[in-house]
Structure formats: structure tokens, C-alpha cells
Amino acid sequence: MMAIKLKSLREQVIVVTGATSGNGLAIVEAAIRQGAAVVAVARNAEALEELHARLAGVGGRIAICAADVSDPAAVEDVATVASEKFGGFDSWVNNAGIGTYGTLEQVPLADHRRVFDVNYFGVLHGSLVAARHLRGRGGGAIINVGSILGDRSIVQQGPYSATKHAVQALTDTLRMELEREKAGISVTLIKPGPIDTPFPEHARNFMDEPPRLPPPLYTPEVVADAVLFACANPRRTLYAGGGGLLSSMLAQAAPRLTDAIMELAGTQAQQKPGDPGVAARRDNLYEPREDALRGSQDVHARQSSIALQLQKAASPLLTAAIVGGGALAAILLRKGTR
């Protein structure tokens, strides 16, 4: 396997999808602070203009591109904007995502497809465009923002969980193909746990109560930290938030116990009676709604993750060994408890 060399952040141009809200917005702001140039991509053209004015006003190097990542032609346009404004890009972050709350039967088939169009096909479109461009530059990084729900599904979020399982498979396949051709492109999957973003307000809701993310929550800056580290340091997987990592390992070790816990308390843990959040943010499944960095519900979010810092400090091989060793231990424990 060839060694992959990535530029420092201050030398990079970074494409970020889903750039006007939550994790994407945190990634853009942190990248600009650290000296990178950014191509910010989102459906919300008004929010993009405001973001550009704010960050360019303080000297940030930023270009914007209004695009729905479910449209492959629109994603091609992103690469064109990056080439015209900055001469290309060095890292591409597939972050855009949407979701629903409700049972598989409650969510209409068209909404299932819409979640896949954005969360899976959007990542596919971005990955293919990025890989083609980065080959011509001699390498770079592709970072896909998945979820711990790619390891373990959760009730009331079946379509979203399914897309994150698909993104896991897509990312692994892309990495193998690029490694086989010695393309010099790093492919990283970021797996956030629950993050305090507007996601519960943006998601289309079929439950009887307002949705929320189950604790413990982390701030979007934790995800930004993981993503930007991966832009400059080749890693296979990074978990953003120790709570999510532990939940994932528990699910691998004791899947039936996790099923039982989910069936008993999973729905209640994802509901916030009397606290629906800002009405202007509700339901962005097909059209953009009000965007923001954080959710507006009354929650507590941790500002750092010790688990992420340990992953960053470890070498790539050690990190893989730690995560892989945890998974193996979980499998052995699972067999031992049958």
C-alpha cells in the first residue's frame, strides 16, 4: 500500500457539502479559521450568501455553490466552481444529510427514496467527482460523514440508519478501489454520535411528539475537529464522540440486549414533548428551511471528546487496531453470551 501524503490545512482548498447548517457549518468555519480555502455547498442559497458575506468579510477565502447533492449534474458544477475560484480542491467532504422520524410503515415510500437520494446517492455523486478530480492532482482526501447508526440501527430512524449502513459500504468499496490503483487518495469515514445540530427540527416527523437526539450530545465542533484532522492526516475511520463509540461497541457485543433496550426506551429517548424547536426549521426533506449551527431545543452538549483526541493521537495502524480490537472483543463476547 502506497503512503498517502496530504497537504497541511492552510495549503488546502476544501469542498464541504451541507455547509450552511450543523456539522457542515462548523466544518466551514473551523477550516477558514485554520487558513484553508473553502467551497461551501448547500441547497439554501440565501444562507450561502450570508455565510460568504460573513466569512469573506473577515478575510476568509470562500466560494459558494448552491446545489442539491442528489443531482449529479449539480455536483459536477461544484468541481467547476472550485476550479474557477481556486484552481481545484484538495479535500472533498460529503456531509449533506436529511432524515425522517417514524416507523418504516409511517414513512411514505417517496420519503424513503428521498433520504437515499441525498444521504447515499449524494455521497456517491460527490465521491466519484472528487476521485476523478483528485486523480489529476496526484491525490488528496475524501471524507464521508456517516454515523454510528451505520453500525447499529435505531427505532424511528429506519431510512436514515439504512443510508448510513450504505455509506459505510460505499466508503469501504471506494477506499479499496482507490488503493488498488495507487491513486494517492485518502478515504475516511467519520462516525458521529448524537450531535447538537438542527437535525431533529429539520427532519420530517411522523411521531406524536417532537423529535430529539438521545444523549449524550456533542457540539458540531467535535465533528469539525474530526473531519479537518482527516483532511490532513490519512485515517480509515474516526468516531466523533465517545458516547457513540461505546453505544456502537455495545450493539456489537450484545445485539439482542440492544434490541430490547431500543424497543423499550428508544422511542421515548428520541422525543422532546413540549419542545419542538424553531418552527421555521421544521421539515427540510424536499426544500431548505432555516439553517443554524446548533439546535434550538433545550439540551446539554459536550464541547470535546476524549475518545476523538485519543484516536487522533494514535498512529493510523494503532487506531485501526483499537477500533478493530474493540469490534473483535465485542464479537467474542457476543459468542460467549449466546
Side-chain angles (χ1 to χ4, degrees), residues 16 18-21 24-29 32 38-42 44-58 60 62-64:
V16 182
T20 55
S21 186
L25 181 54
I27 294 164
V28 170
E29 291 179 341
I32 292 292
V38 173
V39 179
V41 183
N44 192 333
E46 182 179 350
L48 280 174
E49 293 288 351
E50 293 174 355
L51 179 64
H52 181 273
R54 177 165 60 85
L55 295 181
V58 293
I62 180 171
I64 57 175

Side-chain angles (χ1 to χ4, degrees), residues 27-294:
I27 294 164
V28 170
E29 291 179 341
I32 292 292
R33 284 196 302 271
Q34 295 181 52
V38 173
V39 179
V41 183
R43 294 178 294 167
N44 192 333
E46 182 179 350
L48 280 174
E49 293 288 351
E50 293 174 355
L51 179 64
H52 181 273
R54 177 165 60 85
L55 295 181
V58 293
R61 294 181 296 150
I62 180 171
I64 57 175
C65 182
D68 186 326
V69 296
S70 68
D71 178 358
V75 177
E76 293 281 359
D77 289 342
V78 174
T80 300
V81 169
S83 296
E84 292 175 348
K85 298 295 185 179
F86 298 117
F89 58 87
D90 305 287
S91 294
W92 182 295
V93 182
N94 288 306
N95 167 76
I98 56 175
T100 60
Y101 282 87
T103 66
L104 294 175
E105 289 186 313
Q106 285 177 317
V107 178
L109 183 58
D111 293 352
H112 280 263
R113 293 188 185 279
R114 175 61 178 167
V115 176
F116 261 89
D117 282 343
V118 174
N119 294 9
Y120 173 76
F121 284 102
V123 173
L124 175 63
H125 299 154
S127 295
L128 295 178
V129 169
R132 186 164 60 250
H133 177 89
L134 292 173
R135 284 189 188 98
R137 293 171 68 91
I142 298 173
I143 296 92
N144 294 336
V145 179
S147 170
I148 62 165
L149 298 186
D151 294 340
R152 165 72 212 195
S153 297
I154 191 171
V155 296
Q156 305 295 347
Q157 290 194 61
Y160 181 86
S161 298
T163 63
K164 295 305 181 178
H165 277 71
V167 166
Q168 167 84 63
L170 165 63
T171 305
D172 288 344
T173 304
L174 177 67
R175 183 185 301 107
M176 289 186 289
E177 291 178 352
L178 293 175
E179 285 180 349
R180 183 177 59 187
E181 67 180 72
K182 297 180 172 57
I185 301 173
S186 172
V187 179
T188 303
L189 182 61
I190 307 296
K191 293 187 175 183
I195 306 296
D196 180 23
T197 73
F199 177 86
E201 299 160 86
H202 279 163
R204 177 163 288 189
N205 182 33
F206 295 92
M207 300 190 299
D208 294 332
E209 299 287 352
R212 70 166 180 177
L213 292 169
L217 273 68
Y218 296 81
T219 64
E221 286 81 3
V222 172
V223 178
D225 185 10
V227 168
L228 294 179
F229 179 81
C231 287
N233 301 273
R235 289 292 190 278
R236 179 185 181 90
T237 305
L238 289 170
Y239 283 84
L245 175 57
L246 291 175
S247 296
S248 184
M249 293 176 65
L250 172 63
Q252 293 294 320
R256 290 300 298 146
L257 174 60
T258 308
D259 286 348
I261 294 172
M262 199 76 66
E263 291 159 13
L264 179 65
T267 296
Q268 183 179 4
Q270 295 182 85
Q271 293 181 338
K272 192 101 167 127
D275 189 5
V278 175
R281 298 181 184 178
R282 292 179 198 158
D283 190 358
N284 74 349
L285 194 63
Y286 293 94
E287 298 293 337
R289 301 284 283 162
E290 179 184 289
D291 284 330
L293 177 66
R294 302 276 292 272

